[in-house]
């Protein structure tokens, strides 16, 4: 599986394409974050399964960290177990929470616990070279999802962002994947 995370901001617009009268620039209004709403973004974890080419996603209300990453890995392990896989090869970038000692130790403990189990799924992390997002085929999906989920007219709430993301990936998500 190719795994990655993306940050869906409530106020920063993604790169959008627009068309207008020739010679006139289309302006996208800048949004200011109100102080009354502390949550400014939603993190979305995603994994592109090989060879099925399904995308498993999970939205979280906090920044990507080691703990949220291993919770997502746990749901990917459950998905692999339901599909009778013995190995979960996770191909990802060199983000700090992917290379952290805490996550590496969690993967090591998980793999030790799986030895001797008939339904055990071991995790094999594979890191892509630094600064090479084009090697991860899930990367373009983030931009397409952001373009589909955002509207220039409204500032979405975190719940609206999550609904839009899940709606976008609904046709790409495999049956039986449980997002926590």
């Amino acid at each position: 599986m190719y795994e990655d995370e993306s940050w869906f901001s409530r106020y920063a617009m993604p790169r959008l394409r627009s068309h207008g009268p020739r010679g006139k620039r289309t302006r996208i209004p800048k949004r200011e974050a109100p102080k009354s709403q502390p949550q400014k973004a939603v993190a979305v974890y995603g994994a592109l399964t090989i060879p099925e080419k399904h995308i498993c996603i999970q939205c979280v209300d906090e920044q990507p960290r080691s703990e949220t990453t291993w919770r997502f890995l746990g749901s990917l392990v459950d998905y692999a177990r339901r599909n009778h896989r013995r190995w979960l090869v996770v191909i990802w970038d060199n983000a700090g929470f992917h290379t952290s000692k805490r996550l590496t130790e969690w993967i090591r403990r998980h793999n030790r616990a799986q030895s001797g189990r008939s339904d055990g799924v071991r995790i094999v992390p594979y890191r892509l070279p630094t600064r090479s997002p084009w090697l991860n085929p899930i990367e373009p999906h983030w931009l397409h999802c952001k373009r589909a989920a955002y509207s220039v007219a409204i500032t979405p709430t975190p719940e609206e962002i999550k609904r839009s993301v899940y709606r976008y990936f609904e046709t790409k998500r495999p049956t039986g994947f449980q997002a926590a």
Side-chain angles (χ1 to χ4, degrees):
M1 291 188 174
Y2 287 92
E3 195 270 344
D4 197 29
E5 304 78 21
S6 186
W7 197 242
F8 283 69
S9 171
R10 295 178 57 206
Y11 306 105
M13 294 292 291
R15 295 179 306 209
L16 298 172
R17 304 272 191 258
S18 64
H19 302 283
R22 189 175 198 94
K24 293 189 178 183
R25 298 176 114 183
T26 304
R27 303 271 182 205
I28 297 175
K30 185 175 181 178
R31 300 176 181 158
E32 295 297 325
K35 295 186 183 348
S36 63
Q37 298 175 347
Q39 187 178 349
K40 296 181 177 142
V42 173
V44 180
Y45 281 84
L48 178 66
T49 64
I50 303 297
E52 301 91 4
K53 303 251 191 254
H54 292 294
I55 296 180
C56 308
I57 59 167
Q58 181 177 9
C59 296
V60 294
D61 290 330
E62 52 194 324
Q63 291 186 357
R65 302 182 337 232
S66 298
E67 293 82 9
T68 52
T69 302
W70 73 56
R71 281 197 306 256
F72 183 62
L73 282 176
S75 59
L76 294 178
V77 165
D78 292 341
Y79 172 76
R81 186 175 291 125
R82 283 193 305 275
N83 288 298
H84 309 291
R85 304 262 170 84
R86 304 241 343 141
W87 298 93
L88 176 64
V89 179
V90 180
I91 304 166
W92 53 22
D93 56 19
N94 287 293
F97 43 88
H98 290 163
T99 59
S100 72
K101 289 181 182 180
R102 295 175 69 197
L103 184 62
T104 305
E105 184 57 35
W106 180 85
I107 291 172
R108 188 175 294 125
R109 281 194 318 267
H110 169 82
N111 287 343
R112 280 189 199 136
Q114 300 305 307
S115 63
R117 290 183 58 176
S118 61
D119 66 340
V121 176
R122 292 184 180 219
I123 301 171
V124 180
Y126 179 83
R127 289 180 179 77
L128 294 170
T130 57
R131 296 190 187 108
S132 56
W134 61 89
L135 294 176
N136 194 340
I138 197 171
E139 288 284 350
H141 292 282
W142 296 132
L143 182 59
H144 295 301
C145 179
K146 286 179 182 182
R147 286 179 179 167
Y150 282 96
S151 169
V152 176
I154 62 165
T155 302
T157 64
E159 291 74 29
E160 290 171 338
I161 291 175
K162 290 177 192 177
R163 275 196 305 273
S164 296
V165 168
Y166 282 124
R167 194 175 322 120
Y168 176 80
F169 284 112
E170 201 167 65
T171 59
K172 297 171 177 34
R173 200 171 339 142
T175 311
F177 180 75
Q178 300 296 320

